[in-house]
Amino acid sequence: MRGGLSMVNDINAVKTQLTRILGQENVLDSESDRKFYSTDLSYTEGKVAQVVIRPGNTEELSACVALATSADLAIVPRGGGMSYTRGYQPEKEASMLIDMRRMNRILDLNTEDMYVTVEAGCTWKDLYEELMDGDIPVRTPYFGPLSGMYATIGGAVSQNSLFLGSGIYNTVAESVLGLKVVLADGDVLQTGSAAHKNGTPFWRHFGPDLTGIFTADTGAFGVKSEITLQLIEAPAVTLFMSFGFDTIESMLETQTVLARKRICSECYGFDPYYNNSFEKQGFTFGEGLTVLRDVAGTEGGIKGLWTSFKVAKSGKSFLKKVKYSLHMTFDSYHKDVAHKALETAREVCLENHGNEIDNTLPTVFRAHPFGGVRTVLLGSEGEIWLPVHGFMPLSKAVEMGSATERYFSENKSLMDKYNIHSSYLTCFAGTEFVIEPSIYWHDELGDFRLSLIEEEFAEKWKSIPVDEEKRAVALKLRDGLRDLYDENGCCHLQLGKYYPYQEMMSNEPLKKLLAGVKKTLDPEGHVNPGSLGLR
């Protein structure tokens, strides 16, 4: 092992060379910067990278990666920082963390062949707004998570996120046509039809699906630099509907039927705690009734989309008496088709004993899909929000929903003792189901969370003290839910370094294949060590 002095000299030499490539302003080495960028939302301790870089294009990224790995530094890519599964937390101090957000350009927009190529640091918000503002509005099939103001396309592809558009178009990985990836030695690999010597990136399956190796890999195999996504014409019509249910079972039964019909662009449910939180926060992501008045004033509505919905007549109390709320969005190119889908969904909801309620919530979400993230990162009183999830077949949804409620019931006395609360979101991606419980507790927010919320709330909540005892209990409760889902055969998105991917797999040939891919692409194990359990 090298001594401390030589290691310091080595890293200083690397920083000098990185500065020559990127400029001083794009090489960060202060302790505060390194700690800030090395911290995700998981509330688990990781190492602090020795240097943070901000490359501006694939060529700079390639040069920096080759330099770092030749100096035996691990390389860890970071997008918008929305990971809560230690996706970019370094496992060792001898790491170079790569902030991808300067690589944010739209490189090629082809509305004839219907694809768009972007740099991996582009946010979903920026891409969506650029695509929708064209002469002929287009969008990607899956078009982002609720944190899309910050979340990058590279991060979402690495973690295989879902939400907007997922009801019909599944997770983000399904929308990817090809990738440009910087490997551990700095080589740049291209997948899909763009790899053809005379080709363009219009097709993913040019030979074996090598693009799929890098989707949902949590950054274990290389650093994504450019991504090509499918395009669809933006729907001309968007309709909304919401229903209330008395039990989680009836809501989940409804969602599984709707998932099989593939008629909802989004269909998500909330439990009583979530509903109450929306009430306390004005039920919107910062836009409130003003948005509803704007949308209601014209058939043009949301960016020219035709809308039809009920504005809440009782201010923000429309969820007050609702136990479980289900919210649906219907997109189409003609309002008759959208109405048919909505009426079909309404029949399913009524058959499962639902009661129609004001559809304010899905309307506001879609009116401004990429607003601030405070209400999805924190509770209404500044509590920490930390989710966990299970990804399952539709046949397991009701069973696992009931199991989730039992888990919280069995731990009620412990949670009451420490003033820990819980909620859960339910939704589907295509014909796969997701249950995402969240744990809430009061604890120090930390610099990264504070940087993501409005100044007035950051000032109000920055003095919440550290509570290590409560945190330990909350994290143990979260682990218990993860284990519950694993025991019942559930899979996971956003694997990061939190979900025990290696331990969950029973097929040894598959493990050997995975290890072989890693060995081929990253023989010295420099790329995001620990992701997918590969070290």
Side-chain angles (χ1 to χ4, degrees):
M1 227 176 136
R2 290 178 293 184
L5 181 59
S6 62
M7 188 61 191
V8 170
N9 292 336
D10 286 349
I11 191 62
N12 286 337
V14 169
K15 289 176 185 176
T16 298
Q17 294 179 70
L18 290 171
T19 299
R20 290 197 188 106
I21 298 169
L22 301 177
Q24 184 63 58
E25 68 277 13
N26 294 311
V27 179
L28 310 179
D29 64 353
S30 71
E31 183 177 359
S32 59
D33 281 337
R34 292 186 293 112
K35 184 175 181 180
F36 180 89
Y37 285 100
S38 299
T39 302
D40 78 346
L41 300 170
S42 69
Y43 260 90
T44 52
E45 290 294 327
K47 301 296 185 180
V48 175
Q50 287 190 309
V51 64
V52 178
I53 66 164
R54 300 190 294 205
N57 54 50
T58 298
E59 291 71 26
E60 289 182 354
L61 174 63
S62 172
C64 292
V65 167
L67 172 62
T69 56
S70 68
D72 201 26
L73 291 178
I75 56 169
V76 185
R78 181 189 191 274
M82 296 293 104
S83 166
Y84 51 81
T85 57
R86 299 176 54 224
Y88 59 83
Q89 278 192 312
E91 285 219 332
K92 59 179 186 176
E93 291 180 4
S95 298
M96 178 181 77
L97 195 143
I98 307 166
D99 176 9
M100 294 293 296
R101 291 175 300 165
R102 279 186 67 226
M103 294 180 58
N104 59 7
R105 295 174 297 165
I106 297 173
L107 301 173
D108 185 13
L109 173 56
N110 188 323
T111 55
E112 183 177 11
D113 295 327
M114 297 300 281
Y115 64 78
V116 61
T117 301
V118 301
E119 290 180 316
C122 181
T123 67
W124 288 98
K125 180 179 186 291
D126 287 346
L127 176 61
Y128 177 77
E129 291 180 350
E130 181 71 21
L131 295 178
M132 291 293 287
D133 283 342
D135 293 337
I136 301 175
V138 293
R139 67 162 224 228
T140 56
Y142 166 88
F143 62 104
L146 286 174
S147 57
M149 175 184 283
Y150 298 100
T152 63
I153 293 163
V157 171
S158 294
Q159 303 293 348
N160 201 14
S161 75
L162 60 81
F163 200 76
L164 292 166
S166 285
I168 294 175
Y169 296 107
N170 215 288
T171 63
V172 64
E174 302 300 318
S175 298
V176 180
L177 292 173
L179 297 165
K180 188 172 282 187
V181 183
V182 176
L183 302 179
D185 60 2
D187 282 353
V188 180
L189 177 148
Q190 175 70 60
T191 72
S193 62
H196 189 295
K197 61 183 178 180
N198 299 313
T200 59
F202 73 100
W203 190 32
R204 172 165 167 164
H205 298 278
F206 178 47
D209 183 18
L210 300 182
T211 298
I213 291 174
F214 299 95
T215 63
D217 74 331
T218 71
F221 295 142
V223 184
K224 297 167 189 64
S225 66
E226 298 174 18
I227 299 167
T228 301
L229 299 166
Q230 294 175 332
L231 292 177
I232 60 173
E233 288 189 10
V237 181
T238 301
L239 304 180
F240 309 96
M241 185 168 66
S242 296
F243 265 76
F245 295 85
D246 289 335
T247 68
I248 189 173
E249 289 81 8
S250 58
M251 183 176 76
L252 294 178
E253 288 281 6
T254 301
Q255 284 183 280
T256 57
V257 173
L258 293 176
R260 295 185 186 101
K261 293 184 181 297
R262 300 292 283 260
I263 58 176
C264 303
S265 294
E266 294 100 42
C267 180
Y268 44 94
F270 298 116
D271 74 322
Y273 188 85
Y274 246 132
N275 290 336
N276 188 49
S277 257
F278 285 127
E279 295 288 353
K280 289 180 179 178
Q281 299 187 70
F283 66 84
T284 78
F285 292 139
E287 300 299 330
L289 287 172
T290 302
V291 169
L292 297 181
R293 286 195 294 270
D294 290 345
V295 174
T298 173
E299 278 201 354
I302 306 168
K303 287 187 179 291
L305 303 186
W306 191 89
T307 65
S308 174
F309 62 94
K310 301 175 181 179
V311 176
K313 298 178 179 63
S314 52
K316 66 178 184 178
S317 62
F318 73 105
L319 287 174
K320 199 167 199 174
K321 297 180 180 178
V322 178
K323 288 188 177 179
Y324 299 89
S325 64
L326 184 64
H327 309 278
M328 293 151 277
T329 304
F330 307 90
D331 289 324
S332 185
Y333 303 104
H334 193 281
K335 61 184 178 182
D336 290 346
V337 178
H339 273 291
K340 181 61 178 176
L342 182 146
E343 289 301 328
T344 300
R346 178 179 281 129
E347 290 174 9
V348 174
C349 292
L350 292 172
E351 287 171 3
N352 284 283
H353 313 293
N355 297 297
E356 190 163 3
I357 61 175
D358 294 297
N359 57 9
T360 303
L361 200 65
T363 304
V364 171
F365 278 10
R366 267 297 193 97
H368 291 267
F370 303 120
V373 295
R374 170 178 50 84
T375 51
V376 294
L377 289 184
L378 299 172
S380 59
E381 302 298 329
E383 310 98 312
I384 297 300
W385 163 90
L386 192 60
V388 65
H389 71 271
F391 195 71
M392 64 200 72
L394 296 175
S395 58
K396 278 187 173 287
V398 176
E399 172 192 348
M400 295 313 302
S402 298
T404 301
E405 291 218 320
R406 283 197 302 275
Y407 180 85
F408 286 130
S409 178
E410 291 165 0
N411 287 281
K412 185 178 184 305
S413 59
L414 179 65
M415 295 171 71
D416 287 347
K417 177 181 177 181
Y418 288 95
N419 194 28
I420 295 172
H421 300 282
S422 64
S423 69
Y424 39 88
L425 162 71
T426 63
C427 66
F428 52 80
T431 51
E432 292 81 49
F433 205 82
V434 179
I435 298 178
E436 183 182 77
S438 298
I439 308 295
Y440 299 81
W441 76 98
H442 276 108
D443 200 347
E444 181 184 43
L445 297 188
D447 291 341
F448 181 45
R449 274 185 174 82
L450 289 171
S451 73
L452 298 171
I453 65 177
E454 303 93 328
E455 187 176 342
E456 62 178 295
F457 290 98
E459 187 65 28
K460 177 181 177 182
W461 293 332
K462 69 180 183 181
S463 58
I464 296 176
V466 174
D467 195 327
E468 293 183 358
E469 183 179 7
K470 189 179 293 185
R471 184 186 307 175
V473 174
L475 294 178
K476 186 175 181 180
L477 287 166
R478 184 191 187 214
D479 290 348
L481 282 164
R482 177 192 61 186
D483 296 344
L484 171 67
Y485 293 138
D486 291 349
E487 289 163 7
N488 284 275
C490 297
C491 297
H492 303 285
L493 308 166
Q494 302 185 47
L495 287 164
K497 304 178 185 79
Y498 177 70
Y499 293 105
Y501 183 62
Q502 296 285 329
E503 289 81 352
M504 287 188 289
M505 290 192 298
S506 62
N507 188 273
E508 290 303 319
L510 181 60
K511 289 184 179 181
K512 289 181 181 178
L513 175 61
L514 188 74
V517 171
K518 177 71 169 176
K519 188 70 174 176
T520 298
L521 298 173
D522 180 22
E524 302 299 325
H526 284 123
V527 181
N528 206 5
S531 281
L532 301 182
L534 296 166
R535 294 179 172 83

